[in-house]
Amino acid sequence: MIYLDNAATTRVRPEVYDAMKPYFCENFGNPSSVYQFAGESLQAVDRAREQIAALLGAEAREIYFTAGGSESDNWALKAVAETCAKKGKHIITSKIEHHAILHTCEWLEKQGCEVTYLDVDENGLVSPEAVEAAIRPDTILISIMTANNEIGTVEPISEIGAIAHRHGILFHTDAVQAVGHIPLDVRAMNIDLLSASGHKFHGPKGVGILYCRRGVKLTPLIHGGAQERNRRAGTHNVPGIVGMGKAAELAGEHLEEWGQCQASLRDHLIERVLAEIPYVRLNGDPQKRLPGNANFCFRYVEGESLLIMLDQRGICGSSGSACTSGSLDPSHVLLAIGLPHEIAHGSLRLTLSEDTTREEIDYVVDELKKIIERLRSMSPLYEDFLRKNA
Ligand SMILES: *Cc1c(COP(=O)(O)O)cnc(C)c1O
């Protein structure tokens, strides 16, 4: 099997799994209990909080554990809408955000908020000038993702954060695709709130964090016990939290090395595909992109058929995001960068990890060439196109 869908989820690293293991059958205590046996669980949670804070340039007490990226996104937006209701009801975001942001914004609109969904350019970049132009006296929050999960574009979030702060507006970023993959520093980048998820960088599924800068008011999304400084109720997912902490520590140690090796393989993949397959387009910014992301549109090819044929050869890829597959609508991200429906339908996202090898990439390109040729040979549209251009 060749796994090139690391934007959907990643393999738990063996070191992460080893770190988690004692917290199932041995140190199973509830970190909120008072006896010494449970103290080990509490220490483990605090250690993980420090490991994650260190990766982000944050303080440990600014990190709140959640059940994943979607919860963190919901929490950030809903809490700011609540705490800033007196100041205003206007939120600025982009058209290419993850559904955890877009659907939360749609829900908030039903509660009376107003949301501006900014356009992006043909590479998926949000313009800081457009953000500034959208600001109104009643704007309470700007939420722009750090890096896009489909096309890999890395947004100018430091600049956007600086604009937000100049206008006294809170800045949230969905950094689920970025944390553990590219360097981040919440202070230097003017970030007030940040969402991250364990399973996108070799931690376990079902655990995430919301970073909330000290001094920013955060009301609970989940009500109940006093966990997480009274802000997020629920018994801690101790093994999950330990795993996410270990994954953060490993990512911090290897960020540059893993990033460079992925970026060079990604460039090799992109170069070969663009050189060897006709009528193909690279989606996303050629430079400002995640080290492990490649996203293409092949004309006269249906994305779903392409995925099935890759799967038959043991290759796991994606047509966009895991959340949109199963629906026949083309990706909202590809439409937002200006692609017509028929081209957006022929998309393929291949996302690498630090374990990906050059041999795997070469095998995938060789197979891809054959599959695209096969699929096109069965397409009446492609025949028409060839005839017209003969
Ligand atoms: C995966 C993802 C999420 C959701 O995270 P979960 O932990 O799966 O809930 C949110 N935003 C982006 C950009 C993602 O890639």
Side-chain angles (χ1 to χ4, degrees):
M1 199 241 324
I2 297 180
Y3 186 75
L4 291 178
D5 200 14
N6 286 279
T9 197
T10 57
R11 185 173 79 110
V12 169
R13 287 193 69 86
E15 302 93 319
V16 169
Y17 184 46
D18 285 342
M20 291 171 69
K21 271 191 225 162
Y23 295 93
F24 287 101
C25 301
E26 295 154 44
N27 301 321
F28 59 84
N30 186 328
S32 304
S33 300
V34 292
Y35 37 80
Q36 284 179 42
F37 169 63
E40 170 55 32
S41 302
L42 181 60
Q43 277 171 24
V45 169
D46 287 341
R47 198 158 47 236
R49 204 185 302 282
E50 274 160 25
Q51 287 165 323
I52 293 163
L55 183 66
L56 301 175
E59 291 174 30
R61 59 177 158 167
E62 297 173 314
I63 303 296
Y64 297 88
F65 286 110
T66 67
S70 300
E71 183 186 323
S72 301
D73 283 344
N74 271 261
W75 191 9
L77 269 52
K78 291 175 184 175
V80 172
E82 186 186 346
T83 58
C84 299
K86 282 213 183 71
K87 185 193 165 199
K89 289 169 168 297
H90 181 234
I91 295 170
I92 299 170
T93 187
S94 82
K95 286 188 178 163
I96 64 163
E97 300 295 311
H98 190 273
H99 284 136
I101 294 291
L102 293 177
H103 290 169
T104 303
C105 283
E106 287 163 21
W107 183 84
L108 285 169
E109 284 180 295
K110 290 194 194 126
Q111 313 305 309
C113 285
E114 286 174 44
V115 183
T116 300
Y117 301 92
L118 293 173
D119 286 320
V120 295
D121 75 4
E122 68 279 9
N123 290 333
L125 283 167
V126 174
S127 131
E129 292 75 31
V131 172
E132 187 148 34
I135 291 174
R136 314 191 318 204
D138 62 341
T139 304
I140 52 173
L141 178 69
I142 296 171
S143 178
I144 301 291
M145 66 200 324
T146 310
N148 184 267
N149 48 305
E150 292 187 35
I151 58 176
T153 300
V154 177
E155 302 295 345
I157 59 162
S158 298
E159 281 172 78
I160 294 169
I163 290 168
H165 288 179
R166 264 209 309 282
H167 292 264
I169 298 166
L170 291 172
F171 177 52
H172 166 257
T173 187
D174 173 343
V176 173
Q177 288 291 331
V179 169
H181 298 280
I182 57 173
L184 287 177
D185 184 310
V186 288
R187 304 240 179 272
M189 298 172 112
N190 311 302
I191 299 166
D192 299 307
L193 297 137
L194 173 147
S195 306
S197 176
H199 76 101
K200 299 293 177 73
F201 62 102
H202 303 290
K205 294 167 186 54
V207 58
I209 61 103
L210 180 64
Y211 154 81
C212 180
R213 184 170 59 75
R214 191 150 44 91
V216 172
K217 191 156 179 251
L218 187 63
T219 51
L221 178 69
I222 309 287
H223 301 271
Q227 290 91 353
E228 299 300 279
R229 299 151 53 84
N230 284 310
R231 305 243 192 351
R232 203 284 185 178
T235 302
H236 291 102
N237 167 9
V238 180
I241 288 170
V242 167
M244 185 173 177
K246 184 68 187 177
E249 182 188 271
L250 288 170
E253 285 165 9
H254 299 280
L255 204 62
E256 209 172 306
E257 167 206 339
W258 287 350
Q260 277 171 7
C261 87
Q262 283 179 68
S264 84
L265 283 181
R266 171 203 67 191
D267 292 341
H268 176 62
L269 167 64
I270 292 173
E271 275 162 31
R272 274 202 64 190
V273 168
L274 297 184
E276 297 175 37
I277 302 178
Y279 315 117
V280 57
R281 175 187 200 280
L282 174 70
N283 299 315
D285 195 275
Q287 268 87 44
K288 295 170 194 147
R289 74 186 301 134
L290 288 170
N293 175 290
N295 187 313
F296 306 100
C297 279
F298 301 97
R299 294 196 68 176
Y300 308 106
V301 168
E302 219 273 299
E304 293 297 312
S305 321
L306 179 53
L307 288 186
I308 291 165
M309 291 180 75
L310 284 167
D311 188 26
Q312 286 165 351
R313 288 155 181 79
I315 301 163
C316 304
S318 157
S319 58
S321 78
C323 321
T324 45
S325 44
S327 87
L328 288 174
D329 298 336
S331 135
H332 67 285
V333 176
L334 297 179
L335 297 181
I337 62 175
L339 299 187
H341 281 241
E342 67 273 17
I343 293 182
H345 269 300
S347 68
L348 175 68
R349 178 185 73 182
L350 297 174
T351 42
L352 288 57
S353 83
E354 63 277 9
D355 296 327
T356 308
T357 65
R358 197 177 169 97
E359 289 68 38
E360 287 177 325
I361 294 294
D362 282 326
Y363 171 76
V364 170
V365 179
D366 292 342
E367 293 305 311
L368 195 55
K369 281 165 70 173
K370 290 184 254 177
I371 295 170
I372 299 278
E373 221 175 88
R374 210 28 226 291
L375 288 172
R376 282 179 176 161
S377 75
M378 302 186 309
S379 156
L381 288 172
Y382 186 60
E383 271 181 27
D384 265 7
F385 166 79
L386 288 185
R387 210 172 305 119
K388 279 188 204 132
N389 289 273

